[in-house]
Amino acid sequence: MTPKELAHHKTAAKQLLGVPVFKPLKRNKLPKPLHKMGSARLMSTDLLSVSDTHRAVLMWRDGETLQDSAFMAWLFCVLENQSLYPLFELHFHPSHKGVHCKMPCETAPDYTNRQLPGAPELDLLTLDGLDPRVDVDRQKLTLQFCKVCGITLASEKDTWTLPLA
């Protein structure tokens, strides 16, 4: 995918309707490429429609300690055959990295219905002291994901009063 194509997806009108609801994730609940994920410690949103052709999924892992927790989010475009093509993958692992992302920019592999192994990885500005196990911090990470992906929020009335950094 070219940088111009990625920029087109980022600037496309996308909107998140309300605060995402996280529920325990069971295997095969989400479509490919996330269908094999699931455990007692994983909490996930449903596949969220943010436009006619874009979907998002947000997920966090509850750990006994901060070092065992994580936050992940994906933005996909829906292809004509209804397969999902990953455009953006965000990860936050307090144990070893701050917020970082992967994008299929100038890559040769076909990532249809796959995550982004081998795709370029970039670090993003990380707020200090974030804990994916804390609701307010998950909201901050969700807002950062939305900002980076060009996803607007549906309403000022949503509980999105946290600053984007």
Side-chain angles (χ1 to χ4, degrees):
M1 185 166 286
T2 67
K4 191 173 186 177
E5 290 170 320
L6 275 174
H8 175 72
H9 283 287
K10 181 178 179 177
T11 58
K14 297 177 294 300
Q15 187 175 63
L16 184 62
L17 303 173
V19 178
V21 176
F22 291 89
K23 299 179 268 186
L25 180 60
K26 295 180 180 164
R27 291 184 192 270
N28 294 314
K29 184 176 184 238
L30 293 172
K32 286 182 181 181
L34 307 173
H35 65 293
K36 292 184 179 181
M37 296 178 85
S39 80
R41 293 186 180 262
L42 273 178
M43 304 294 281
S44 175
T45 64
D46 292 330
L47 186 64
L48 304 171
S49 179
V50 292
S51 82
D52 290 343
T53 58
H54 294 92
R55 305 292 181 266
V57 173
L58 302 127
M59 195 178 296
W60 67 281
R61 183 178 63 233
D62 187 14
E64 290 182 22
T65 67
L66 174 62
Q67 303 306 315
D68 296 330
S69 63
F71 181 87
M72 292 106 12
W74 294 264
L75 177 66
F76 299 98
C77 66
V78 180
L79 303 177
E80 287 182 20
N81 65 1
Q82 300 306 303
S83 294
L84 297 177
Y85 193 90
L87 301 171
F88 188 84
E89 192 175 299
L90 179 139
H91 291 255
F92 174 57
H93 304 281
S95 64
H96 64 283
K97 288 186 181 181
V99 178
H100 55 282
C101 67
K102 289 183 174 185
M103 296 177 289
C105 190
E106 297 182 347
T107 56
D110 178 6
Y111 289 116
T112 302
N113 287 331
R114 297 180 62 208
Q115 293 189 48
L116 295 169
E121 185 175 306
L122 303 168
D123 290 333
L124 299 175
L125 178 64
T126 303
L127 295 172
D128 289 334
L130 291 177
D131 185 341
R133 302 169 300 172
V134 177
D135 187 53
V136 171
D137 289 353
R138 281 194 305 277
Q139 285 185 21
K140 289 177 183 177
L141 289 161
T142 299
L143 288 170
Q144 183 174 16
F145 169 74
C146 289
K147 181 180 179 184
V148 173
C149 291
I151 300 170
T152 61
L153 305 176
S155 167
E156 293 291 325
K157 293 186 289 183
D158 291 334
T159 57
W160 297 96
T161 57
L162 304 168
L164 288 175

